[in-house]
Amino acid sequence: MNLSRKWLTDYVDVTEVNNKDYCDRMTDTGSKVEGFEALASDIDNVVVGKITKITKHENSDHLQICMLDVGEGKDIQIVTGARNVFEGAIVPVAKAPAKLPGDITIKAGKLRGVESNGMLCSITELGLTTHDMPSAIENGIFILNELEESKDYTLGMDIKEALMLSDDVVEFEITPNRPDCLSVIGLARESAASFEKELKIPTPVVKNAGDGDKIDNYIKVDIESTLCKRYAARVVKNIKIEPSPLWLRMRLRASGVRPINNIVDITNYVMLEYGQPMHAFDYKCLDGSHIIVREAGENESFKSLDDIDHTLKSGMLVISDEKKAVALAGVMGGANSEITEDTKTVVFESANFDGPSVRVTSRALGMRTESSSRFEKGIDEETVIPAIERACELVQILSAGEVVDGIIDVYPNPKKVREIPLNAEKINAFLGTNISKEEMVRILTSLTFKVENDTVYVPSYRDDVEGMQDVAEEIARIYGYNEIETTNVVASLTQGERTPRQAYDVKVKDTLCAMGLYEINTFSFISPKYYDKINLPEGDKRRNSVVISNPLGEDTSVMRTTSIPSILEVLAKNQNLKNEEASLYEVATIYIPNEDKAKLPEEPKEISIGMYGTADFYDLKGVIEGLFNACGITEFYVKAEENDPTFHPGRCAKIYANNDTCLGIFGEIHPLVAKNYSFTKRVYVASLDFEAMFENHASEAKYKPLPKFPALTRDFSFVCDESLEVGTIESAIKKSGVKLLEAVKLFDIYRGAQIGENKKSVSFSVSLRASDRTLNDEEADTAVKKILKTLEKELGITLRA
């Protein structure tokens, strides 16, 4: 927001404060200043002069010698090649030595032998355009006689004063929570409070025409969408389209807005002054003399003021008449109702539209405007009427037309005043200050808050003030943060810590890193073709993915339901880069669609581990067992898996908790999968269910002292079917109910003719120990019998003969 300090003086007098002090204080009180600029500071020694005599240059066909009265009692001589000058013309005169924009210096000299003591200036040489000075020509001397204000000029007057070019402009960075400061009046409020000055905001006065003409004879307004909170309209007839006066044009220029014509300039002026965007419609273009605020239909066409055709989506808010849309609410007007030179009657619009709706529309259509940038931050509904009244007041001040009596104001749900209790003791405790209640009231009053009976009534334009803490902030920033004494914090503080799930996540990563694996991070977006590469059959539930509505491309068009393709892609890339071996892991989020399409997908985590090179199946199994033991899963068993299409059917297993919850799958990838990724080495991958692991882990590690008594060891050899897994036998031994059982260890597997076809001999070493005594043979034999009985009953196996 660019603030003209000259404009600011209309509302608060801070002229005695220099720019630096003004900017410093405003920043201290919460209105951050980016910088300031003195306009026209690059123009020096340029004055108003009058051409008293013109003579032809004897040595040139295109040069003329002008004598000029610059108010010094003696004419000065300047040679010029301009053809639009004449005797009696009032012109800008750069008296040598002079400075002009663009770091140009004008010096005295001779042109074709004739002395020239300066230069006559065009608008371009003064840094102006035809928008700033509509009566001027681009390629010629600027003739000041043609300006309405020329009668006020005196010869020798500084051109910066004559053309109202001098001004100091302060650039503010307005935070999104303070849209009220996107206006001259809003910053005037802040300035008055910051410098303890009187704030003067006059109420706009619009004189009645008194001719009996009423607005009801011209227009009616209906709101058909809740996205419009308030809509007001006024009609001005007998419009005269012409340039705005110099003072108004220069204020717009200082604020960075290009002057266009009096009606358009009035709407821009009010937007800058009040922060309320406005629009003016050509009345004759409104079919049915009816304004309807509604939501656009799907694929409705609309041409904006910049002559660009747009296709609208349903839900976009538009202003329409009975046949067509004439404006995009809060964004831009339509070309079909534009103000032109033959416009005779206009309808002024001042309204309040839903900020998020305006933002969605402007972004979707690529139409960010001064209006949309204000509406999207939130504008006060109560500013609608003062703004439209100010516009009509300016119409009368500029004699731009006749304001028709009456105003249409559709306001379905008037805004309620927010009330907040004022508790000085609580605010001081919150701030660590000792500010008196009287001082608090003074500060709040200076910010135009109303305070009565220990209640703060929040102004309608301060939606950011919602509770006691916000009131305390208002008091602190005006009181001065630098004035608050340093105190010790008095509060009941708690130490932040990770949740159990977050701590478990960290433990998993630390453990895998400690075992020599490198962590990777991959995109959650994948290609549907990845499911083909890992051999998922059609109809597999893992193919049911969340589809991205606006993907960057096919490669990132769905959300993954398994992380295996992601880690295989990384392993393949490492192989292609000639890395001889790799051991990687990722704690990856997957996305499972919800059966109820209106709900968001579930987002569980899974741990993917991948390795190739010197690693084999048992290395991967060892990593998983080490991870489980470190992360509190001490009771688990492994079972062969032959039916997963991603893995080799003879080198794959699933791992289960003792309650039979599947914790994951691991093994060598299927040869066809390896071919899809062009692997030349055997690749081993694991996919572990993070959520199931967390649910089945022991939350606290239990201390177990070193044994004081020796263990007894018994070795067994069993003959069983080749298909019976060793892990099944081990699990059965552990579940036999022998309390003295300490450890079970496989130490031999034998196959031979004496064992029999499709048979194998497996040998286990079983350790038995009591914590309070040394076991005797009788106790050990009893335990062994119980184990053997369990194995015979559950698995049908007996000791090898």
Side-chain angles (χ1 to χ4, degrees):
M1 172 71 188
N2 291 335
L3 174 67
S4 160
R5 290 200 61 186
K6 279 190 175 178
W7 197 345
L8 180 66
T9 57
D10 286 359
Y11 309 104
V12 60
D13 184 9
V14 289
T15 52
E16 79 282 3
V17 183
N18 63 46
N19 285 330
K20 184 179 184 307
D21 291 343
Y22 177 79
C23 294
D24 288 346
R25 177 58 180 163
M26 292 298 287
T27 299
D28 287 344
T29 57
S31 302
K32 184 183 177 185
V33 174
E34 288 290 291
F36 64 87
E37 177 187 6
L39 299 184
S41 59
D42 50 2
I43 298 176
D44 185 48
N45 208 24
V46 181
V47 301
V48 175
K50 181 178 182 180
I51 300 176
T52 58
K53 184 179 180 181
I54 298 177
T55 58
K56 188 176 181 342
H57 195 296
E58 293 181 357
N59 300 321
S60 173
D61 293 333
H62 69 279
L63 295 178
Q64 301 180 87
I65 302 170
C66 298
M67 301 302 296
L68 293 114
D69 180 358
V70 291
E72 297 177 348
K74 180 182 177 180
D75 289 358
I76 64 171
Q77 179 175 291
I78 294 178
V79 179
T80 180
R83 311 311 299 175
N84 68 319
V85 295
F86 54 89
E87 292 182 358
I90 299 175
V91 295
V93 181
K95 299 190 302 176
K99 291 183 179 180
L100 294 174
D103 202 21
I104 297 172
T105 301
I106 305 300
K107 300 179 180 179
K110 290 185 177 182
L111 292 176
R112 297 286 181 93
V114 176
E115 183 180 355
S116 181
N117 296 303
M119 185 179 77
L120 307 184
C121 300
S122 67
I123 57 171
T124 303
E125 288 158 341
L126 294 174
L128 303 171
T129 68
T130 53
H131 289 285
D132 303 320
M133 301 295 166
S135 62
I137 59 175
E138 287 186 299
N139 301 314
I141 302 303
F142 184 16
I143 307 299
L144 300 178
N145 308 56
E146 299 171 1
L147 289 175
E148 179 184 348
E149 292 80 4
S150 61
K151 61 181 180 295
D152 299 324
Y153 298 155
T154 58
L155 299 182
M157 184 181 190
D158 192 319
I159 198 67
K160 293 184 288 186
E161 181 183 352
L163 298 182
M164 303 181 183
L165 297 177
S166 294
D167 199 351
D168 293 319
V169 175
V170 181
E171 181 185 357
F172 286 89
E173 180 186 332
I174 306 301
T175 53
N177 68 314
R178 291 301 306 275
D180 58 298
C181 288
L182 288 170
S183 64
V184 177
I185 289 177
L187 290 172
R189 294 191 192 103
E190 292 296 308
S191 300
S194 299
F195 293 94
E196 299 184 22
K197 297 288 186 178
E198 181 186 0
L199 179 65
K200 299 170 290 185
I201 303 178
T203 301
V205 177
V206 181
K207 299 176 183 178
N208 292 329
D211 58 1
D213 206 1
K214 301 289 184 183
I215 192 172
D216 294 339
N217 300 331
Y218 290 84
I219 198 79
K220 63 178 179 178
V221 175
D222 286 311
I223 296 177
E224 296 182 354
S225 172
T226 56
L227 297 177
C228 178
K229 301 175 185 178
R230 189 176 191 179
Y231 194 98
R234 291 209 71 163
V235 174
V236 180
K237 61 183 180 180
N238 298 327
I239 287 291
K240 293 179 288 184
I241 303 295
E242 57 188 9
S244 299
L246 181 64
W247 66 267
L248 194 150
R249 299 200 308 272
M250 290 301 100
R251 285 191 174 183
L252 291 179
R253 179 176 180 270
S255 301
V257 176
R258 186 182 69 181
I260 298 175
N261 61 50
N262 52 357
I263 299 301
V264 175
D265 291 351
I266 284 172
T267 61
N268 286 333
Y269 188 91
V270 173
M271 178 183 70
L272 294 171
E273 188 174 40
Y274 280 79
Q276 171 67 49
M278 291 188 59
H279 188 65
F281 300 102
D282 189 333
Y283 174 71
K284 70 176 180 294
C285 300
L286 298 176
D287 290 312
S289 300
H290 189 187
I291 288 178
I292 304 168
V293 187
R294 60 172 175 83
E295 293 178 26
E298 187 68 22
N299 297 325
E300 183 174 349
S301 60
F302 174 78
K303 177 178 281 191
S304 54
L305 278 172
D306 51 6
D307 287 327
I308 296 177
D309 291 316
H310 301 277
T311 301
L312 308 183
K313 299 293 184 182
S314 61
M316 292 182 175
L317 194 64
V318 298
I319 313 301
S320 73
D321 56 25
E322 293 185 347
K323 293 184 179 180
K324 62 188 180 300
V326 293
L328 277 175
V331 182
M332 187 180 289
N336 53 19
S337 59
E338 181 181 5
I339 303 298
T340 61
E341 292 185 357
D342 62 349
T343 297
K344 297 302 178 186
T345 304
V346 300
V347 177
F348 276 125
E349 164 196 281
S350 180
N352 189 280
F353 306 115
D354 179 68
S357 169
V358 172
R359 178 171 175 78
V360 168
T361 299
S362 66
R363 283 177 62 87
L365 300 178
M367 299 172 65
R368 186 169 177 82
T369 62
E370 286 284 344
S371 174
S372 67
S373 67
R374 283 171 165 78
F375 273 118
E376 67 187 27
K377 294 177 178 64
I379 292 179
D380 177 26
E381 296 97 307
E382 299 301 320
T383 309
V384 167
I385 297 303
I388 201 169
E389 292 289 77
R390 175 59 167 159
C392 292
E393 180 184 46
L394 287 170
V395 167
Q396 294 180 338
I397 291 173
L398 303 187
S399 300
E402 300 174 16
V403 181
V404 175
D405 291 350
I407 182 171
I408 293 177
D409 180 18
V410 184
Y411 195 7
N413 300 299
K415 190 174 185 179
K416 296 180 180 179
V417 177
R418 183 177 293 132
E419 301 177 12
I420 301 173
L422 178 63
N423 187 324
E425 183 179 348
K426 191 173 182 180
I427 289 174
N428 277 321
F430 178 73
L431 295 176
T433 56
N434 189 26
I435 305 172
S436 67
K437 179 180 176 182
E438 291 72 22
E439 178 66 5
M440 291 182 183
V441 172
R442 185 198 68 77
I443 290 173
L444 292 171
T445 303
S446 72
L447 288 167
T448 67
F449 288 75
K450 184 180 178 183
V451 184
E452 288 183 355
N453 301 322
D454 293 333
T455 300
V456 178
Y457 297 89
V458 181
S460 59
Y461 54 82
R462 291 301 305 274
D463 283 337
D464 60 310
V465 178
E466 299 178 338
M468 182 278 290
Q469 292 85 351
D470 300 314
V471 173
E473 180 187 357
E474 295 300 300
I475 293 169
R477 68 186 183 88
I478 300 301
Y479 179 76
Y481 295 118
N482 295 333
E483 301 299 321
I484 299 177
E485 295 182 3
T486 302
T487 58
N488 293 325
V489 175
V490 180
S492 176
L493 300 178
T494 58
Q495 183 177 357
E497 61 180 16
R498 293 187 177 97
T499 65
R501 192 175 184 280
Q502 290 171 334
Y504 195 76
D505 185 289
V506 173
K507 183 67 174 177
V508 167
K509 293 179 179 179
D510 288 348
T511 301
L512 290 171
C513 284
M515 289 192 285
L517 282 75
Y518 289 90
E519 184 178 10
I520 63 172
N521 284 290
T522 58
F523 285 121
S524 298
F525 311 135
I526 64 171
S527 167
K529 294 179 182 178
Y530 280 17
Y531 298 138
D532 297 328
K533 293 181 74 172
I534 63 170
N535 276 1
L536 290 190
E538 293 296 331
D540 191 296
K541 65 180 182 179
R542 287 172 289 181
R543 284 183 175 271
N544 181 24
S545 303
V546 176
V547 180
I548 307 299
S549 60
N550 57 340
L552 297 175
E554 191 274 343
D555 288 346
T556 55
S557 60
V558 299
M559 305 294 285
R560 65 187 175 194
T561 58
T562 171
S563 61
I564 290 178
S566 300
I567 200 165
L568 287 176
E569 288 288 332
V570 178
L571 289 171
K573 186 174 182 179
N574 273 269
Q575 179 189 258
N576 294 338
L577 293 174
K578 308 302 182 183
N579 288 335
E580 292 299 320
E581 57 182 291
S583 297
L584 312 173
Y585 81 91
E586 179 180 17
V587 180
T589 303
I590 60 174
Y591 301 84
I592 309 302
N594 201 305
E595 292 183 3
D596 184 351
K597 300 299 182 182
K599 295 183 179 180
L600 293 174
E602 296 179 15
E603 300 182 20
K605 287 184 177 181
E606 64 180 28
I607 305 166
S608 56
I609 302 173
M611 51 183 64
Y612 70 81
T614 59
D616 61 15
F617 177 90
Y618 294 103
D619 289 319
L620 178 58
K621 181 172 181 285
V623 167
I624 295 171
E625 289 175 341
L627 174 64
F628 279 19
N629 288 327
C631 294
I633 304 175
T634 56
E635 302 294 333
F636 56 87
Y637 65 92
V638 178
K639 190 173 183 179
E641 173 61 42
E642 299 178 353
N643 298 317
D644 193 298
T646 302
F647 292 89
H648 192 297
R651 299 168 187 162
C652 175
K654 285 186 176 180
I655 191 163
Y656 295 85
N658 270 5
N659 60 4
D660 298 329
T661 299
C662 183
L663 302 178
I665 186 171
F666 67 95
E668 182 182 336
I669 63 171
H670 197 285
L672 294 178
V673 175
K675 183 178 180 181
N676 291 338
Y677 286 93
S678 302
F679 285 120
T680 58
K681 299 181 179 181
R682 290 186 176 182
V683 176
Y684 300 90
V685 171
S687 176
L688 306 177
D689 189 332
F690 180 93
E691 314 301 334
M693 286 174 57
F694 178 69
E695 291 297 326
N696 286 275
H697 86 289
S699 58
E700 293 183 1
K702 293 183 179 180
Y703 170 72
K704 186 177 181 181
L706 292 173
K708 296 180 179 180
F709 301 95
L712 289 179
T713 304
R714 294 288 187 271
D715 294 341
F716 306 101
S717 292
F718 303 102
V719 175
C720 61
D721 292 338
E722 182 67 49
S723 60
L724 183 62
E725 298 172 9
V726 171
T728 303
I729 301 174
E730 182 178 338
S731 179
I733 294 174
K734 290 179 179 179
K735 293 180 179 180
S736 63
V738 176
K739 294 181 180 180
L740 299 175
L741 182 65
E742 182 180 63
V744 180
K745 184 178 179 181
L746 174 74
F747 66 86
D748 184 55
I749 299 179
Y750 175 75
R751 298 175 181 84
Q754 63 270 43
I755 301 300
E757 188 176 358
N758 294 324
K759 296 286 186 178
K760 63 184 176 183
S761 171
V762 292
S763 300
F764 290 92
S765 178
V766 176
S767 295
L768 304 171
R769 191 194 304 266
S771 61
D772 58 347
R773 66 189 185 280
T774 300
L775 294 178
N776 55 43
D777 290 339
E778 183 179 349
E779 289 176 304
D781 292 342
T782 301
V784 167
K785 290 178 181 178
K786 189 172 184 180
I787 291 172
L788 295 176
K789 186 177 180 180
T790 300
L791 293 175
E792 183 177 5
K793 181 180 179 181
E794 293 189 7
L795 303 177
I797 62 174
T798 59
L799 288 173
R800 177 180 172 184

